[in-house]
Amino acid sequence: VLGSSHGFDKYGSTSGFVLWIHKTGIMVDPPPHATDILMRSGITPSMISGVILTHCHADHDAGTFQKILKESKITLITTKTILDSLIRKYSIISGFAPKFLLRLFEQRI
C-alpha cells in the first residue's frame, strides 16, 4: 500500500497500491512521491514496470507523471479518455509538447 488517505489530508498519502506479478510491480493510482515511498520500503524503482491510472485527479496523476519523468520508460495502462486528459493537463503544466510526453512511456489502452 502506497497510501490510504484522501486527497484533502495534508499529513497522509493518498490511496494507491502496487500489484506484484512475477516479482514485478505495477503501481495503481500512485500518489505523489510514490517512488520515494517505495524506496523507503526497500523497493527499487526498477522493480516497478508500469502504472495503472484509473482517473485524472491530481492526487494520482501527479504520481504517475513523476514516475514517467524520473524513471526509465514505463508502461502506462489506462483508457484513451484518461490518457488524453493526462497528456493535455501535463503538457500545459510542464510546457512539454504532447508528442514529446507520449514518447516517454509505452501505452496500453
Side-chain angles (χ1 to χ4, degrees):
V1 173
L2 298 169
S4 59
S5 192
H6 53 81
F8 299 101
D9 180 356
K10 64 181 179 179
Y11 300 109
S13 185
T14 58
S15 62
F17 57 94
V18 178
L19 293 173
W20 291 99
I21 303 168
H22 304 293
K23 298 183 182 180
T24 300
I26 299 174
M27 290 194 293
V28 179
D29 290 334
H33 310 293
T35 298
D36 297 333
I37 295 166
L38 291 171
M39 290 181 65
R40 284 194 302 269
S41 298
I43 300 168
T44 61
S46 63
M47 296 173 75
I48 306 297
S49 66
V51 173
I52 296 172
L53 184 62
T54 65
H55 61 288
C56 272
H57 289 169
D59 58 336
H60 300 297
D61 66 15
T64 301
F65 192 62
Q66 286 172 346
K67 178 72 174 167
I68 289 168
L69 291 178
K70 290 174 83 174
E71 312 301 332
S72 60
K73 203 166 201 174
I74 63 158
T75 300
L76 177 60
I77 304 163
T78 193
T79 67
K80 181 175 179 353
T81 301
I82 294 169
L83 176 63
D84 291 347
S85 179
L86 178 79
I87 295 301
R88 188 171 44 252
K89 178 179 182 177
Y90 283 98
S91 176
I92 292 167
I93 290 171
S94 69
F96 293 132
K99 286 184 180 183
F100 171 77
L101 293 176
L102 288 166
R103 288 195 309 256
L104 299 178
F105 57 91
E106 300 292 330
Q107 307 163 36
R108 286 208 187 147
I109 299 176

